[in-house]
Amino acid sequence: MADLQRHPHIETAVDYHHAVARGAVGEELARFFHDEAVHVEHPNLFFPEGAVRDLTAILKSAEQGRHTLRDQTFEVLNAVAAGDQVALEVAWTGTLAVPLGDLPAGHVLLAHIAAFLEFRDGRIIAQRNYDCYDRPPSAQ
C-alpha cells in the first residue's frame, strides 16, 4: 500500500476511504470535501436510479450508513493520479447491522468499486462511483 501513497491526492483519497470505513461522520468526514463537492453514484444493485449528493447529502448518507452497516472495509487495489484527479480500484465489504430487503442482519455484502475523485485546494470537489455489488443469494 505504501506505493499507492506517493501522490498527495492518492494519500488523501486512501485516508478518506479509511475514515468512511471507521464510520466517520460530521466534521471528521467533511474535512475531506470541498464546500461545493458533488458525489455521483451511478446506478447499482441498491440504488437502481443512482444518486447525486451535495455535501449536505453526503454527510447525511454517512449518518444513515452508520445505522445500516455494522462495519465496512475498503481495500484499495490500485490507484492512479494525474494532476488533480485520482482513480481508485477498490474492494469493499460491508456487514449489515439491520435487515435489508430479504437479507438478514449480519449478511456480508461485497462490491467492486471504481471511484474517480477530483480535487480542488487539496479537498474532494467531485466523486463518481461505479459500484458493482455481488448479487445477494436471494437475487441469484
Side-chain angles (χ1 to χ4, degrees):
M1 173 108 115
D3 290 345
L4 295 178
Q5 297 182 348
R6 290 190 180 156
H7 190 284
H9 292 326
I10 290 176
E11 188 171 331
T12 300
V14 170
D15 289 347
Y16 156 60
H17 279 80
H18 288 162
V20 171
R22 67 175 181 270
V25 294
E27 187 54 39
E28 183 184 1
L29 184 61
R31 72 182 181 86
F32 291 99
F33 289 96
H34 190 280
D35 292 341
E36 298 171 17
V38 175
H39 177 212
V40 175
E41 185 171 355
H42 289 277
N44 59 62
L45 183 64
F46 295 104
F47 293 96
E49 302 300 317
V52 177
R53 300 176 184 96
D54 63 7
L55 182 55
T56 300
I58 291 168
L59 298 175
K60 182 178 179 182
S61 180
E63 284 283 350
Q64 292 169 335
R66 288 176 72 168
H67 302 292
T68 304
L69 296 172
R70 180 180 333 157
D71 57 58
Q72 60 182 325
T73 62
F74 293 88
E75 180 185 358
V76 177
L77 304 173
N78 198 358
V80 178
D84 286 334
Q85 298 187 48
V86 172
L88 300 176
E89 177 187 9
V90 179
W92 174 85
T93 61
T95 305
L96 291 175
V98 296
L100 181 64
D102 294 338
L103 302 175
H107 181 83
V108 177
L109 300 167
L110 305 170
H112 311 276
I113 299 170
F116 298 87
L117 297 94
E118 295 177 32
F119 288 80
R120 183 184 300 162
D121 303 324
R123 297 167 77 189
I124 300 165
I125 184 77
Q127 179 176 348
R128 293 179 313 282
N129 274 62
Y130 300 83
D131 300 348
C132 301
Y133 289 90
D134 287 0
R135 287 184 180 214
S138 63
Q140 292 180 348

